[in-house]
Amino acid sequence: MKESWSSVDTLETNFRPLVVIELAKGTKEETIEWFTKRIVDKKANGGAQLLIKPLVTENGNENIYLVGASHLRLLLGAENVGLVKECNDNSMRAFTYSSRKTFKDFADDNQNFLTMSECQYIIKHELDNLRAKDEKMIPGYPQAKLYPGKSIVRRLLTNGILVQIFPLHDREELKKLRHTWYGQVKIGYQPLDEIRCYFGETIALYFGFLEYFTFALIPMAVIGIPYYVFAWEDYDKYVMFATFNLLWSTVILEVWKRICAVMTYRWGTLLMKRQFEEPRPGFHGVLGINPVTGREEPVYSSIKRQLRIYLVSVPFVCLCLYFSLYVMMIYFDLEQWALDYHEENKSHFSSLMLYVPSIIYAVVIEIMNRIYRYAAEFLTSWENHRLESSYQNHLILKVLVFNFLNCFASLFYIAFVLFDMKLLRQSLATLLITSQILNQFAESLLPYWLQKRHMKKMKERMHSLKMDTDLSLVEQVNSEKEMGTYLGTFDDYLELFLQFGYVSLFSCVYPLAAVFAVLNNITEIYSDALKMCRVYKRPFAEPTANIGVWQLAFETMSVISVVTNCILIGMSPQVNALFPDSKMDLILTVALVEHLLLAIKFVMAFVIPDKPRDIQIKLAKLEFESLEALKQQIIAEIPQEESLSLKRNTRMKMLLEMIWAGQEANETCG
């Protein structure tokens, strides 16, 4: 029997807090009453049909509320969001409550069928989909306007009434995860399945990619060590190293797609249907009608947005790029000063001074990257993109363009304008090592120290109070709400992207680049794990099937690396000796080789399937069965007396032919 939303009980004796809602101090009572009522109201009345209770602290209710849900409500929510779970026959299917018995490990009394992160994701989804009905404003705040279909949570956030929403940690599970993840120093794989169960697929995919990229760097590191030890000044022998670099950068990205498909199929996100994307919280405009959904929502002219992009954002980015180049030229002046100083003094101190300009420049690059990041976020938000995906794409484009030029422009200038390979090697080493040290300190060590200091003060204050409430829960909520908010994997992927550039673009000049990258990534795994478990609030799980636009960014970098390495090979004395009379022949030969290597690269990308054979078969089989079930459902709903007239209904006939055509889905695997 199919369960209806109306039968879901909103009262549960064993309340399990999953999500914390913090409202601003001084929030009006009528606002709190209205908001909590919408959370517990039935779905038919426009509510979320969740459970909520206030957290009582030593100062009474500080406008902190705990949100949970009944087991039945979570199961129906899992069907609503399209979670994919493993069946008893080991296949992966979208969960439905009516067929719940066919799923592995399901039992009516099994509260762990859904992971805690999945339960929190469901609650977050339901809260985000709380929408205004006939309210014109938020009760108690006339300036906070509402209209039918507007997200209530987003309006509360933008008006400062709602401070934050975050999921609670599971202390016991977190303790186990910490022990298996970074509690002991060992050489082995990360517990990616456990990370996925606790933090969700987006976080797990990042750590999976970090682990894979680290292992993929090992061949480059192993080959680079003898090149460094035995042929430091012999650039002729780097031709083979650069050639290997070209093939390596292509293969690792194509193999990653296959590994990613295997993981996300096992986790179920490869099969999840993409949901209709709602307007992002910061989107604003004149109230109008969305022609797709028919809902009333803000409408903003795309022409105005394009004018903002091309008349403001693009000139600003170009100005920042010019400033970056200006700083680069100052760096070269410092390099010349250090060289002149060394030539005059010839001392141990003057030798050390040769590295000072590169170190200063590396620090300045990191500072400029971080300042520009804030400016790019402000500009992209000001452009007023309707969808979060569009906002992220424009932000990533701005940041990648500036970071690429800011980090690599000096190396290109040294290699292809100054033709100084010794300075190129020195600058590459200094930039790579300095940026790694600064990132480790700024992203992990400093936040961990500050958080540990804050936790010590918090525990001293909490244990000095006499309280009748659940001290452990109050302590946990109060400590977690003061933690920093994890802003996503953007900066983590950006760091790997720049590292990939250092390794693939110029590593034939400095073979130890891959060695330092491996050492950095090993420590990065532990520091990022520490950061996720001890420094930041627990992020909401975000189902994803791949690393998104970053895959394209890495592939673009690998294409650029083909060009740079071909030019470096053409500049080597060994290749120049083959064309003693004609430089034009050398240039044409290098261009021909570069085009051939690019052709080989794209052929390899085409030949290597993005998904393994068994995953393709499983996906095709699932699609075939889904279409078969849909066909049978439509036929069963057609009365017998109407079946003959159906043939004369052209539109319905075309629909049935499309469905029956799904029987040929298995031919893709033949």
Side-chain angles (χ1 to χ4, degrees):
M1 183 180 73
K2 186 174 182 179
E3 199 74 29
S4 64
W5 285 106
S6 60
S7 64
V8 178
D9 191 5
T10 56
L11 298 175
E12 188 162 287
T13 54
N14 297 323
F15 177 79
R16 182 192 183 194
L18 294 170
V19 174
V20 177
I21 293 178
E22 181 183 4
L23 299 176
K25 291 182 179 180
T27 302
K28 297 180 180 179
E29 287 296 327
E30 57 182 312
T31 307
I32 298 175
E33 182 180 353
W34 168 76
F35 184 45
T36 54
K37 184 176 184 299
R38 290 300 303 269
I39 291 175
V40 300
D41 265 355
K42 294 184 179 298
K43 293 280 287 184
N45 298 329
Q49 213 156 341
L50 301 173
L51 307 175
I52 186 170
K53 61 181 292 188
L55 178 71
V56 181
T57 63
E58 70 274 12
N59 299 324
N61 182 11
E62 292 187 343
N63 286 343
I64 298 176
Y65 294 84
L66 306 175
V67 182
S70 65
H71 183 53
L72 175 58
R73 174 68 182 86
L74 291 171
L75 293 177
L76 292 173
E79 179 179 351
N80 190 34
V81 300
L83 286 185
V84 176
K85 306 291 286 185
E86 187 176 5
C87 295
N88 293 323
D89 61 357
N90 297 324
S91 63
M92 304 296 294
R93 300 178 189 278
F95 177 80
T96 57
Y97 186 80
S98 59
S99 60
R100 60 192 181 279
K101 299 293 185 181
T102 62
F103 289 87
K104 184 176 288 188
D105 299 327
F106 180 86
D108 290 327
D109 58 348
N110 181 14
Q111 301 289 327
N112 297 321
F113 174 71
L114 297 175
T115 65
M116 187 176 182
S117 63
E118 288 174 337
C119 296
Q120 291 166 334
Y121 169 69
I122 292 168
I123 289 178
K124 179 66 162 54
H125 177 269
E126 296 300 335
L127 290 175
D128 285 342
N129 281 277
L130 274 177
R131 301 192 176 277
K133 297 188 297 182
D134 52 0
E135 301 97 335
K136 301 298 183 184
M137 65 178 185
I138 294 176
Y141 296 88
Q143 74 280 7
K145 302 297 183 182
L146 289 174
Y147 48 84
K150 174 66 179 177
S151 172
I152 292 174
V153 169
R154 292 178 179 180
R155 176 58 74 196
L156 291 172
L157 282 169
T158 53
N159 282 271
I161 302 170
L162 178 59
V163 177
Q164 60 180 335
I165 300 178
F166 64 91
L168 276 172
H169 275 295
D170 185 330
R171 290 187 168 184
E172 291 300 319
E173 290 298 320
L174 183 60
K175 186 177 180 180
K176 295 177 184 177
L177 179 60
R178 287 206 306 256
H179 177 72
T180 58
W181 196 0
Y182 68 90
Q184 47 190 346
V185 180
K186 61 179 181 178
I187 299 177
Y189 295 105
Q190 298 177 91
L192 294 179
D193 289 334
E194 288 80 0
I195 297 171
R196 173 255 170 183
C197 287
Y198 195 86
F199 288 109
E201 290 78 15
T202 298
I203 304 296
L205 266 186
Y206 161 69
F207 281 100
F209 182 74
L210 174 59
E211 177 182 275
Y212 169 78
F213 185 52
T214 304
F215 278 105
L217 283 168
I218 292 177
M220 290 284 291
V222 170
I223 296 174
I225 291 175
Y227 270 87
Y228 174 81
V229 174
F230 301 113
W232 177 252
E233 297 294 343
D234 188 1
Y235 296 106
D236 298 345
K237 297 179 181 178
Y238 292 156
V239 174
M240 293 183 61
F241 188 81
T243 305
F244 175 79
N245 191 347
L246 301 178
L247 300 176
W248 169 84
S249 62
T250 301
V251 172
I252 65 166
L253 294 176
E254 294 304 315
V255 173
W256 163 250
K257 291 181 184 178
R258 296 169 62 85
I259 294 175
C260 181
V262 172
M263 286 194 299
T264 53
Y265 177 83
R266 185 172 70 246
W267 297 338
T269 53
L270 190 62
L271 305 173
M272 287 187 70
K273 303 296 183 183
R274 184 181 177 184
Q275 296 183 343
F276 182 78
E277 196 171 357
E278 300 288 345
R280 53 186 296 270
F283 177 66
H284 57 85
V286 180
L287 206 59
I289 301 297
N290 186 316
V292 177
T293 64
R295 294 175 181 168
E296 196 174 22
E297 66 177 44
V299 176
Y300 188 77
S301 171
S302 60
I303 297 178
K304 291 182 180 180
R305 184 181 301 113
Q306 296 300 320
L307 288 175
R308 289 188 174 190
I309 292 174
Y310 291 109
L311 296 183
V312 179
S313 296
V314 171
F316 176 80
V317 172
C318 292
L319 181 64
C320 291
L321 296 178
Y322 172 79
F323 180 75
S324 175
L325 294 176
Y326 181 77
V327 172
M328 181 190 74
M329 300 311 297
I330 296 176
Y331 155 66
F332 286 122
D333 290 339
L334 290 176
E335 282 284 0
Q336 187 62 45
W337 171 84
L339 184 62
D340 294 341
Y341 181 83
H342 177 66
E343 291 292 331
E344 292 177 3
N345 295 273
K346 296 288 184 178
S347 63
H348 181 67
F349 176 76
S350 65
S351 299
L352 293 177
M353 286 296 293
L354 291 175
Y355 293 92
V356 171
S358 296
I359 294 174
I360 295 175
Y361 184 51
V363 174
V364 171
I365 283 176
E366 290 299 318
I367 295 174
M368 290 171 61
N369 284 344
R370 294 181 184 277
I371 294 176
Y372 176 82
R373 168 72 185 275
Y374 292 114
E377 288 179 346
F378 173 80
L379 267 182
T380 311
S381 179
W382 178 74
E383 289 167 5
N384 198 26
H385 296 278
R386 178 179 177 272
L387 302 179
E388 183 66 25
S389 60
S390 176
Y391 171 85
Q392 289 295 333
N393 290 338
H394 281 79
L395 175 62
I396 290 174
L397 180 61
K398 289 186 182 71
V399 173
L400 287 186
V401 168
F402 180 80
N403 277 257
F404 182 85
L405 186 77
N406 201 29
C407 294
F408 301 119
S410 62
L411 302 179
F412 279 99
Y413 186 83
I414 295 170
F416 306 128
V417 177
L418 301 181
F419 304 107
D420 190 340
M421 295 301 151
K422 185 176 181 180
L423 179 59
L424 177 62
R425 182 181 67 231
Q426 174 189 313
S427 299
L428 176 59
T430 307
L431 289 174
L432 176 62
I433 297 171
T434 305
S435 65
Q436 290 176 347
I437 294 174
L438 291 176
N439 283 324
Q440 291 283 359
F441 178 77
E443 294 181 7
S444 299
L445 297 180
L446 180 61
Y448 174 70
W449 178 76
L450 294 174
Q451 180 60 26
K452 193 173 182 179
R453 184 180 178 186
H454 171 77
M455 288 290 293
K456 184 179 180 180
K457 292 181 179 179
M458 177 67 68
K459 287 182 178 179
E460 290 174 355
R461 186 173 70 88
M462 295 296 295
H463 287 295
S464 65
L465 301 171
K466 302 294 183 181
M467 299 176 61
D468 297 328
T469 57
D470 185 354
L471 181 63
S472 61
L473 180 60
V474 174
E475 179 184 351
Q476 179 183 355
V477 172
N478 278 283
S479 62
E480 289 185 21
K481 76 182 181 71
E482 298 297 332
M483 289 181 171
T485 301
Y486 182 66
L487 300 178
T489 56
F490 184 96
D491 289 329
D492 298 315
Y493 278 119
L494 179 61
E495 184 180 346
L496 290 179
F497 171 78
L498 296 176
Q499 184 187 92
F500 180 68
Y502 285 125
V503 172
S504 61
L505 292 177
F506 302 102
S507 63
C508 62
V509 176
Y510 184 63
L512 284 188
V515 177
F516 284 111
V518 170
L519 295 176
N520 174 79
N521 289 357
I522 292 174
T523 59
E524 185 83 14
I525 289 173
Y526 285 96
S527 62
D528 282 354
L530 178 71
K531 177 175 67 177
M532 295 302 304
C533 296
R534 300 291 296 272
V535 177
Y536 293 119
K537 298 184 187 75
R538 183 180 188 174
F540 281 102
E542 295 180 16
T544 185
N546 48 56
I547 63 174
V549 70
W550 290 106
Q551 180 76 37
L552 178 61
F554 278 88
E555 290 173 353
T556 303
M557 180 69 81
S558 69
V559 171
I560 298 174
S561 72
V562 171
V563 179
T564 58
N565 280 279
C566 283
I567 297 176
L568 287 173
I569 291 172
M571 291 167 56
S572 68
Q574 184 182 31
V575 175
N576 273 264
L578 300 176
F579 302 91
D581 300 325
S582 175
K583 293 297 181 183
M584 182 58 66
D585 291 343
L586 172 61
I587 295 173
L588 293 176
T589 302
V590 170
L592 177 62
V593 172
E594 176 255 336
H595 280 67
L596 288 175
L597 288 172
L598 283 177
I600 294 173
K601 176 182 175 63
F602 290 123
V603 169
M604 290 174 61
F606 177 77
V607 170
I608 301 176
D610 292 348
K611 300 179 182 67
R613 177 73 170 174
D614 60 325
I615 299 296
Q616 293 181 29
I617 293 174
K618 290 176 181 177
L619 292 175
K621 181 179 179 182
L622 185 62
E623 182 181 1
F624 169 74
E625 292 176 352
S626 299
L627 292 172
E628 276 289 297
L630 180 60
K631 181 187 72 173
Q632 296 300 329
Q633 180 182 354
I634 291 179
I635 293 177
E637 292 176 355
I638 299 174
Q640 185 68 29
E641 58 272 13
E642 296 180 7
S643 59
L644 293 177
S645 62
L646 177 64
K647 295 181 179 180
R648 292 187 294 270
N649 189 328
T650 306
R651 189 173 181 181
M652 183 61 74
K653 184 178 179 181
M654 291 176 62
L655 175 62
L656 285 176
E657 287 175 351
M658 290 173 61
I659 295 173
W660 284 327
Q663 296 176 357
E664 301 175 0
N666 59 348
E667 291 182 2
T668 60
C669 304

